C-alpha cells in the first residue's frame, strides 16, 4: 500500500516557480509506518493513474482554481481502487461537493498538519470517517516540511511559512475567514531550520509563503496601547519582537539569499520594519494595492490603503528601503470606469513597482463578495452546461465565463480587454527594459527581462486571454523559458551550513 499526495493542475510546465508547500508538509505529517509518500505535482507533469493499485491512499488538496482537475483526479484514483481523501481550502468550504463531484471517501477540513495521521490510520483500519475536522493548528504545532523529498531541478523557489492568518478583512479574500484573523506564528527556530535545510540543497530564493508577513501594524499597537487593559498591547509587542528576531536571524544567512513575501501596505509606515526586512534579504513583497481610487478601496473594505499620489509615494517607500514590490491590482470594481485602467497603469509605473499583476474581480468562495454575489442570483442563477454560475469552478474551462460580476457601467468584454491592455503596457519590452535598471549589469538586466516575460506568460496570458490559441502559445512559451530561467535562481549547495 502506498500513500500518494497529488497537487492537481490543468497546466504543466515541466518546471514550476514555487514548491507547493502542502505536499511536503503532509509528507512530514505522514507517520513513518506508511513509508515515504509519493509526491506528485501536476504543475510539473500529469499523474499516470496506472501507477495506482487497489488499497493505495490518495490525498488531494484543492483550492477553487484547481478543484475541477482535483475532482477528475479523485474520480480516476477511486476508479483505480484507491481510497481518496480531500483537503485544502475548497474542500473545507464544500466537503459535500468533494464527495459528489470528486468521489471522496473522506474530507479533511481545516489544517491537515495533525489530523492527517488519524485519517491515514483509520483508512488502513477500515474505520475511515466521512469527515475530519483539522481546525486551526497553533503556530508552534505547524509541521515542518520534508524537503528531503524534493525532486531535483524542478522548482525555482522553495516556500516556507512563518505565519498563518491575517487580522484584516478584505471583502475579496478568504484568508481571514479560513485561516482566521489571529496570526499564528511559527517559532523562529522552526522557520530557520527549514530555510537552512533548503539552502544546503542550493535553494537561495525562498518565498515566505505567509498570509501577511506584517501581522502587527504600528496603528494596531497604538490602538491597543490606548486601552486601559494592556494585555493585548503586551501580546502585540511580543509578536512584533518575534518578527524582528526572525529577521535578525535571517540576516545571518549567506548574503546571496533572497526572500520574497506578502505584506500589507501599512508596512511602509514602519521604516524600522522595512530596514529589518532589507537586512534580512527580504528583497521583495507582494503588496495588495487593489485599487488606485478611494472609491475602489471602499468597494473591497480596504480603506486602510492609500490612493492617488500618496499611494505612489507609499509604494516608493518600499523601494527606498530596498524592498521590491509586486503590486497586485484588481479591475472590475463597481466604481471602476474606463479611465481607471490607464490611471492604474500610470500609477504602477510612477510608483516604481518592479512587477505587477492585474486581476479581474472574481467572486471566490469563502469571501464576503462571493456571499453577496451568490445571494444576488437567488434560486435561479444562469447555468453553463447545466452548471449554475454560482459554482463557476465546476464549469469546464473552455465554457467557463471569464467574468462573473456584472459591472454597473462597462460590459464584461470591455473590462477583460482593458485589463489585458494594461498587462500589455506594463510588460511591453521597452518598459521592462527601462525597469530592468533596478538590477544593474547587462546579465542581470537580461535575466530581469526573462523573468518578467515568464511571469506575464504564466499569469496573464493563461489566465485572462480569451482565445485558446493565445493560451496555448503562452503555455508553450512558459514551458520553453521556465527551464533556463530556473538556472538563474539556483545557488551553490552548502551542505555544511549551520542554523545561525
Ligand atoms: S487580502 Fe491580504 S490583507 Fe486582506 S485579508 Fe487577505 S491576506 Fe489579509
Amino acid at each position: 500500500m502506498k500513500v500518494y499526495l497529488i497537487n492537481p493542475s490543468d497546466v504543466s510546465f515541466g518546471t514550476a516557480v514555487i514548491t507547493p508547500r502542502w505536499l511536503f508538509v503532509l509528507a512530514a505529517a505522514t507517520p513513518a509506518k506508511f513509508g515515504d509518500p509519493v509526491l506528485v505535482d501536476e504543475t510539473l507533469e500529469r499523474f499516470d493513474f496506472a501507477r495506482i493499485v487497489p488499497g493505495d491512499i490518495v490525498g488531494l488538496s484543492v483550492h477553487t482554481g484547481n478543484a475541477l482537475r482535483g475532482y477528475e483526479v479523485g474520480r480516476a484514483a477511486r476508479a483505480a481502487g484507491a481510497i481518496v481523501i480531500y483537503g485544502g481550502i475548497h474542500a473545507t468550504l464544500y466537503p459535500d461537493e468533494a464527495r459528489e463531484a470528486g468521489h471522496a471517501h473522506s474530507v479533511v477540513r481545516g489544517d491537515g498538519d495533525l489530523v492527517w495521521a488519524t485519517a491515514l490510520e483509520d483508512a488502513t483500519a477500515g474505520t475511515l470517517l466521512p469527515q475530519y475536522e483539522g481546525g486551526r493548528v497553533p503556530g508552534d504545532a505547524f509541521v515542518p516540511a520534508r524537503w528531503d523529498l524534493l525532486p531535483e531541478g524542478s522548482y525555482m523557489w522553495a516556500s516556507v511559512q512563518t505565519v498563518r492568518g491575517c487580522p484584516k478583512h478584505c471583502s475579496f479574500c478568504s484568508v481571514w475567514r479560513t485561516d482566521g484573523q489571529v496570526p499564528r506564528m511559527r517559532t523562529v527556530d522552526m522557520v530557520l531550520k527549514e530555510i537552512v535545510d533548503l539552502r544546503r540543497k542550493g535553494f537561495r530564493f525562498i518565498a515566505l509563503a505567509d498570509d501577511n508577513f506584517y501581522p502587527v501594524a504600528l496603528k494596531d499597537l497604538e490602538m491597543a496601547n490606548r486601552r486601559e487593559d494592556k494585555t493585548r498591547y503586551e501580546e502585540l509587542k511580543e509578536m512584533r519582537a518575534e518578527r524582528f528576531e526572525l529577521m535578525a536571524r535571517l540576516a545571518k544567512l549567506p548574503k546571496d539569499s533572497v526572500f520574497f513575501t506578502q505584506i500589507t501596505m501599512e508596512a511602509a509606515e514602519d521604516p524600522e520594519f522595512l530596514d529589518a526586512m532589507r537586512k534580512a534579504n527580504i528583497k521583495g513583497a507582494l503588496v495588495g494595492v487593489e485599487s488606485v481610487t478611494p472609491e475602489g478601496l471602499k468597494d473591497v473594505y480596504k480603506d486602510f490603503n492609500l490612493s492617488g499620489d500618496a499611494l505612489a509615494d507609499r509604494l516608493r517607500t518600499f523601494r527606498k528601503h530596498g524592498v521590491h514590490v509586486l503590486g497586485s491590482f484588481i479591475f472590475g470594481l463597481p466604481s471602476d470606469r474606463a479611465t481607471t485602467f490607464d490611471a492604474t497603469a500610470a500609477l504602477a509605473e510612477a510608483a516604481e513597482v518592479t512587477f505587477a499583476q492585474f486581476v479581474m474581480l472574481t467572486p471566490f468562495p469563502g469571501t464576503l463578495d462571493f456571499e453577496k454575489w451568490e445571494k444576488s442570483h437567488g434560486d435561479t442563477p444562469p447555468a453553463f452546461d447545466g452548471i449554475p454560475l454560482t459554482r463557476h469552478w465546476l464549469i469546464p474551462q473552455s465554457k467557463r465565463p471569464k467574468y462573473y460580476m456584472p459591472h454597473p457601467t462597462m460590459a464584461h468584454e470591455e473590462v477583460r480587454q482593458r485589463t489585458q491592455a494594461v498587462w500589455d503596457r506594463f510588460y511591453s519590452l521597452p518598459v521592462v527594459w527601462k525597469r530592468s535598471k533596478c538590477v544593474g549589469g547587462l546579465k542581470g538586466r537580461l535575466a530581469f527581462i526573462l523573468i518578467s516575460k515568464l511571469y506575464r506568460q504564466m499569469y496573464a496570458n493563461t489566465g485572462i486571454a480569451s482565445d485558446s490559441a493565445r493560451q496555448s502559445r503562452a503555455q508553450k512559451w512558459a514551458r520553453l523559458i521556465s527551464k533556463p530561467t530556473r538556472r538563474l535562481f539556483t545557488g551553490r549547495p552548502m551542505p555544511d551550513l549551520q542554523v545561525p
Side-chain angles (χ1 to χ4, degrees):
M1 188 278 288
K2 276 202 172 100
V3 176
Y4 286 90
L5 296 172
I6 306 178
N7 186 44
S9 175
D10 276 314
V11 281
S12 315
F13 294 111
T15 304
V17 179
I18 299 186
T19 49
R21 183 171 169 79
W22 80 267
L23 275 185
F24 304 92
V25 169
L26 272 213
T30 303
K33 65 189 260 198
F34 295 99
D36 284 348
V38 181
L39 307 188
V40 181
D41 179 7
E42 287 202 314
T43 66
L44 298 174
E45 59 188 6
R46 285 238 155 169
F47 180 58
D48 175 9
F49 295 101
R51 295 168 70 183
I52 291 183
V53 296
D56 283 346
I57 298 174
V58 168
L60 290 153
S61 175
V62 285
H63 52 81
T64 303
N66 69 359
L68 192 60
R69 172 64 188 160
Y71 294 155
E72 200 180 356
V73 172
R75 288 196 301 270
R78 184 161 178 159
I83 298 169
V84 177
I85 307 176
Y86 282 83
I89 290 182
H90 194 83
T92 297
L93 294 167
Y94 294 97
D96 291 338
E97 184 184 281
R99 277 185 274 276
E100 282 154 30
H103 295 184
H105 287 93
S106 180
V107 176
V108 173
R109 299 182 70 226
D111 295 337
D113 303 49
L114 305 180
V115 81
W116 175 240
T118 312
L120 284 178
E121 296 284 356
D122 290 356
T124 43
T127 55
L128 186 68
L129 300 174
Q131 203 156 297
Y132 292 84
E133 300 296 334
R136 290 177 190 151
V137 168
D140 57 6
F142 290 177
V143 173
R146 271 197 63 184
W147 296 117
D148 57 310
L149 298 178
L150 194 64
E152 263 188 39
S154 301
Y155 297 96
M156 301 180 201
W157 290 64
S159 50
V160 173
Q161 193 168 41
T162 76
V163 57
R164 221 176 271 177
C166 174
K168 306 295 179 199
H169 56 269
C170 306
S171 67
F172 57 88
C173 174
S174 63
V175 160
W176 58 281
R177 301 177 95 198
T178 49
D179 282 347
Q181 287 185 284
V182 179
R184 290 169 285 150
M185 306 205 316
R186 294 178 78 195
T187 64
V188 173
D189 282 338
M190 281 166 82
V191 173
L192 259 290
K193 187 175 172 315
E194 269 198 53
I195 290 174
V196 167
D197 270 359
L198 287 160
R199 192 63 182 90
R200 284 180 184 155
K201 294 167 89 66
F203 273 95
R204 63 184 193 94
F205 283 79
I206 294 175
L208 302 175
D210 299 331
D211 296 326
N212 178 2
F213 188 78
Y214 185 62
V216 184
L218 288 179
K219 269 196 197 111
D220 302 331
L221 274 171
E222 274 165 31
M223 266 159 61
N225 196 21
R226 267 186 244 130
R227 288 194 213 150
E228 206 150 300
D229 177 0
K230 300 287 176 207
T231 321
R232 185 67 189 142
Y233 176 63
E234 292 303 327
E235 278 169 12
L236 292 180
K237 255 182 31 184
E238 202 178 307
M239 280 166 70
R240 180 174 163 87
E242 263 186 62
R243 293 274 93 181
F244 277 95
E245 189 202 334
L246 170 66
M247 292 190 279
R249 301 264 301 271
L250 291 178
K252 292 185 181 151
L253 287 166
K255 284 289 160 250
D256 64 349
S257 307
V258 177
F259 299 100
F260 178 88
T261 192
Q262 193 156 283
I263 207 164
T264 48
M265 209 188 296
E266 297 157 306
E269 292 167 56
D270 193 340
E272 197 188 349
F273 198 87
L274 289 184
D275 284 340
M277 281 176 75
R278 182 177 40 80
K279 284 188 195 135
N281 291 310
I282 303 175
K283 299 212 166 129
L286 186 148
V287 177
V289 182
E290 326 308 356
S291 174
V292 301
T293 68
E295 298 78 22
L297 293 170
K298 248 190 210 114
D299 286 341
V300 294
Y301 299 1
K302 203 156 186 168
D303 23 20
F304 59 88
N305 269 6
L306 296 175
S307 55
D309 289 346
L311 165 63
D313 257 4
R314 182 64 56 87
L315 288 169
R316 276 194 297 264
T317 308
F318 283 97
R319 269 294 282 282
K320 279 185 205 136
H321 288 264
V323 179
H324 290 272
V325 169
L326 191 171
S328 181
F329 301 84
I330 302 178
F331 285 133
L333 300 172
S335 58
D336 282 356
R337 294 295 175 265
T339 50
T340 311
F341 296 84
D342 271 349
T344 304
L347 185 130
E349 282 161 27
E352 297 170 23
V353 302
T354 311
F355 292 96
Q357 61 183 30
F358 308 95
V359 298
M360 288 195 293
L361 183 63
T362 304
F364 281 113
T367 65
L368 292 176
D369 283 349
F370 182 87
E371 277 174 16
K372 220 161 94 192
W373 174 77
E374 190 181 32
K375 263 197 208 123
S376 74
H377 284 290
D379 295 333
T380 51
F384 294 78
D385 244 22
I387 298 158
L389 184 65
T390 46
R391 294 292 174 272
H392 53 80
W393 52 92
L394 296 176
I395 302 169
Q397 273 295 352
S398 58
K399 298 187 177 147
R400 202 177 289 176
K402 292 270 174 221
Y403 195 73
Y404 306 95
M405 316 278 267
H407 193 273
T409 60
M410 282 181 282
H412 297 171
E413 187 51 19
E414 184 182 351
V415 176
R416 195 196 64 73
Q417 277 180 12
R418 288 186 184 279
T419 304
Q420 183 88 54
V422 176
W423 276 96
D424 289 348
R425 171 172 165 179
F426 190 83
Y427 287 98
S428 76
L429 200 53
V431 176
V432 174
W433 174 248
K434 202 169 138 206
R435 230 178 1 252
S436 70
K437 261 198 251 151
C438 67
V439 287
L442 186 61
K443 204 170 147 210
R445 290 183 78 171
L446 291 174
F448 184 90
I449 290 173
L450 203 61
I451 291 159
S452 298
K453 186 87 180 151
L454 180 69
Y455 186 78
R456 189 241 156 84
Q457 297 293 344
M458 274 186 164
Y459 295 99
N461 285 345
T462 57
I464 57 170
S466 59
D467 67 293
S468 53
R470 187 166 177 163
Q471 283 194 4
S472 100
R473 254 197 331 270
Q475 280 174 31
K476 274 195 201 127
W477 233 101
R479 190 169 253 281
L480 203 72
I481 59 175
S482 54
K483 238 188 178 48
T485 310
R486 195 194 71 79
R487 279 188 217 115
L488 298 172
F489 290 99
T490 46
R492 184 171 49 88
M494 295 181 155
D496 301 322
L497 184 69
Q498 296 303 310
V499 176

